[in-house]
Amino acid sequence: MNKGLNLKSIDFKGLGTKYAKQYGKHMAFAAVIIVLLVYVLVVAKISALSKAEPSSSQTVDTNSLVPRVNQQAINRIQALENNSPQIHSLFEQARNNPFQE
């Protein structure tokens, strides 16, 4: 380790005030430029993302979205409806007025 290096000998306050006096009047301008650059980058990223098209792996196959009903379940419900007059009247009432509770 370097024994000749002493951090206490460096005057950090003096450096800060020296640079603050020298560049202090330009700090507001630099802050505005930084904010504007960030704003431009965000707008450019939003623009690029809004124009992006999904890849073929991200698209959904429309044939898989069609609901499939089990034919065996349909046959069981129809057999149940035909065998019971109460259930037949219940299904008939639901068909005539589906929005009534």
Side-chain angles (χ1 to χ4, degrees):
M1 198 148 168
N2 194 352
K3 293 182 181 181
L5 181 64
N6 188 2
L7 291 177
K8 292 181 182 180
S9 67
I10 300 174
D11 183 23
F12 288 111
K13 289 183 181 181
L15 287 175
T17 56
K18 175 185 171 186
Y19 289 117
K21 286 180 185 177
Q22 190 175 5
Y23 298 110
K25 56 187 170 190
H26 303 293
M27 288 302 206
F29 179 72
V32 168
I33 294 297
I34 290 171
V35 168
L36 287 176
L37 284 174
V38 169
Y39 181 74
V40 167
L41 290 174
V42 167
V43 168
K45 186 68 172 178
I46 290 172
S47 175
L49 289 175
S50 69
K51 294 177 184 176
E53 294 290 328
S55 67
S56 61
S57 64
Q58 292 174 332
T59 57
V60 178
D61 184 21
T62 56
N63 292 334
S64 65
L65 295 177
V66 177
R68 305 281 183 220
V69 181
N70 188 354
Q71 187 62 38
Q72 189 178 14
I74 293 173
N75 293 337
R76 285 184 188 169
I77 292 172
Q78 287 175 345
L80 180 63
E81 180 185 358
N82 292 335
N83 290 338
S84 175
Q86 276 184 323
I87 294 178
H88 181 71
S89 65
L90 186 67
F91 278 116
E92 194 64 37
Q93 182 183 6
R95 282 189 192 110
N96 292 335
N97 194 358
F99 299 109
Q100 180 182 3
E101 290 193 23

